Amino acid sequence: MGSIDLHVHTTVSDGTLTPREVVRYAKKKGLKVIAITDHDSVEGNKDAIDEGAAIGLGILPGMEISVEYSCGSMHLLGYCLDIESDFLKEKLEFLQGVRRERNAKILNKLRASGIALEYGDILRLSSGKQIGRLHFATALTNLGYSATRQEAFNRFLKKGRPAYADRFRFNPEEAIGLVLKSKGIPVLAHPCTLGSRSPKEFEALIMELVQWGLQGIEVYYPDHTDEQVHYYRSVAEKYGILTTGGSDYHGDNKPGVDIGVYNGDDQLSISLIDAMREFRGNS
Ligand code: AMP
Ligand code: FE
Ligand code: FE
Ligand code: ZN
C-alpha cells in the first residue's frame, strides 16, 4: 500500500464513489495524497479538494484524456491543472459533446444487434455527468447480455466488435499542449496499453512525446509486470522525466483494483509531489 495514488476515478466519469467518498476512502486507507483523474473532466476536483482540506488529505487536481493513436490505446494524464482555466473548460466541454454523440452511436449499434437497451438503463448507472463504455458494459451485464463486464467489452464494445463506435480524440501533440496550456504536467498513462512495440519503437515514441512536452511516465500500475516497471522506469530516467504511478481505481466498476495498490507502491513516496510541483514551476 503506497502513501500516494495518482490515478483515481470518481462518479464524475466511470468510478462508483463520489469525489468526496473517494477522498474519505483514501484517508481511511492511510493515503496522504491522491490525484483525481476522471476521463475528459476536471469536475470532481473541487469537491475532492474541499473534502481533502476538511479531513487532511492532499489532492492533485487532474484528469485523463484519450489520445488518437493507431496501434493500441493511449491515455494522457494531466496533473496540477488550473481547473478554472476557461481554455481547459472549453476543450473539455467539446470532448463531452463528442462523447454524447459517440454514446448515441453505441446505443444504436447495440439495438441494431437486437439488444433491447434503453438510454435510461445506462443513465441510471451514472451520476448523470458522463457516460462511458464501462456504463454500457455494466448495463449489458445487469440485463444478462454478458456474464461479466469484460465479456461485454469482448463481445460488443471493444474496437472491432459490433457496437464499437469511434470518437474524435486529440492527437498526442494536441493533448500534451492542452495540459501544458492549462498549467498542468502531462504524463503518459499505463504504457502497457500502447500495444506490442519493440523497445526501439517505444523509445522513439517517448522521444517524440518528450519533444512535445511530456513530463512523466506512469511506471507503477497494477497491470505492469516487474519487467515492465523496470523498463519504463529506465526509459523515464533516460529522458529525465518523472516516474509516477497509480491504481486506476474505479470503485466497484473495476473489481480487484483497490485504491493505493499498484505494482511498485512501496517505491513512490510523497516527495514525488514536491518533484512534480517543481517540474510544473520549471516548465
Ligand atoms: P470510454 O472512455 O468511454 O471509451 O471507456 C473507456 C474505459 O472503459 C476505460 O477507461 C476503462 O475503464 C474501460 N475499458 C476499456 N476497455 C476495456 C476492456 N477491454 N475491459 C474492461 N474495461 C475496459
Ligand atoms: Fe475508466
Ligand atoms: Fe486510462
Ligand atoms: Zn484511468
Side-chain angles (χ1 to χ4, degrees):
M1 186 85 203
S3 63
I4 66 177
D5 187 335
L6 302 184
H7 196 152
V8 174
H9 292 266
T10 77
T11 47
V12 165
S13 64
D14 49 2
T16 54
L17 297 186
T18 66
R20 285 183 190 275
E21 284 168 348
V22 114
V23 169
R24 289 199 290 268
Y25 182 56
K27 177 79 182 174
K28 200 174 94 187
K29 288 280 187 168
L31 292 174
K32 302 278 184 263
V33 176
I34 63 168
I36 303 292
T37 55
D38 280 308
H39 300 287
D40 303 335
S41 177
V42 293
E43 252 196 88
N45 283 295
K46 243 192 197 139
D47 276 0
I49 290 167
D50 281 355
E51 190 67 29
I55 66 170
L57 186 92
I59 308 295
L60 286 192
M63 66 173 182
E64 179 177 29
I65 50 179
S66 310
V67 180
E68 187 187 19
Y69 177 70
S70 57
C71 180
S73 160
M74 189 190 289
H75 288 178
L76 186 77
L77 295 156
Y79 293 121
C80 305
L81 296 156
D82 172 9
I83 55 174
E84 296 302 335
S85 152
D86 286 336
F87 170 79
L88 179 60
K89 279 184 195 164
E90 187 197 311
K91 297 290 181 198
L92 294 179
E93 260 163 42
F94 167 73
L95 289 179
Q96 292 302 324
V98 167
R99 267 187 181 272
R100 284 190 289 273
E101 280 172 29
R102 191 274 313 251
N103 290 342
K105 284 188 205 159
I106 294 179
L107 190 65
N108 285 339
K109 287 185 173 206
L110 285 170
R111 291 165 73 97
S113 310
I115 290 172
L117 197 63
E118 303 289 337
Y119 201 61
D121 297 324
I122 298 154
L123 204 56
R124 213 174 301 128
L125 300 170
S126 79
S127 66
K129 293 199 188 298
Q130 186 186 121
I131 288 173
R133 280 185 293 163
L134 207 45
H135 298 111
F136 280 95
T138 303
L140 288 166
T141 310
N142 289 349
L143 293 171
Y145 289 106
S146 56
T148 61
R149 291 182 190 86
Q150 194 56 54
E151 191 190 315
F153 271 95
N154 291 340
R155 281 183 62 194
F156 305 106
L157 298 167
K158 74 179 191 187
K159 207 169 188 169
R161 303 309 298 164
Y164 179 79
D166 219 347
R167 67 180 158 108
F168 171 86
R169 290 155 205 259
F170 292 119
N171 69 36
E173 188 178 5
E174 291 166 334
I176 290 170
L178 167 63
V179 173
L180 291 175
K181 244 184 126 168
S182 313
K183 301 197 172 72
I185 300 171
V187 171
L188 178 67
H190 43 64
C192 60
T193 66
L194 290 171
S196 54
R197 313 184 130 256
S198 68
K200 211 172 153 188
E201 285 170 328
F202 178 74
E203 271 201 50
L205 174 70
I206 294 298
M207 207 182 335
E208 198 170 31
L209 297 176
V210 167
Q211 273 164 12
W212 288 325
L214 187 78
Q215 295 177 343
I217 300 178
E218 187 177 50
V219 168
Y220 305 109
Y221 191 76
D223 292 345
H224 288 171
T225 63
D226 291 347
E227 289 73 25
Q228 283 172 320
V229 165
H230 189 262
Y231 175 62
Y232 296 141
R233 190 173 54 209
S234 71
V235 175
E237 281 165 4
K238 180 168 172 186
Y239 288 91
I241 56 176
L242 294 162
T243 291
T244 75
S247 66
D248 212 354
Y249 179 71
H250 282 69
D252 292 343
N253 275 342
K254 242 193 189 182
V257 171
D258 201 3
I259 203 162
V261 181
Y262 41 87
N263 191 359
D265 54 14
D266 53 336
Q267 307 204 35
L268 273 190
S269 80
I270 195 127
S271 62
L272 173 64
I273 306 301
D274 293 331
M276 290 175 83
R277 294 208 168 110
E278 217 165 283
F279 240 78
R280 186 188 186 216
N282 292 340
S283 65

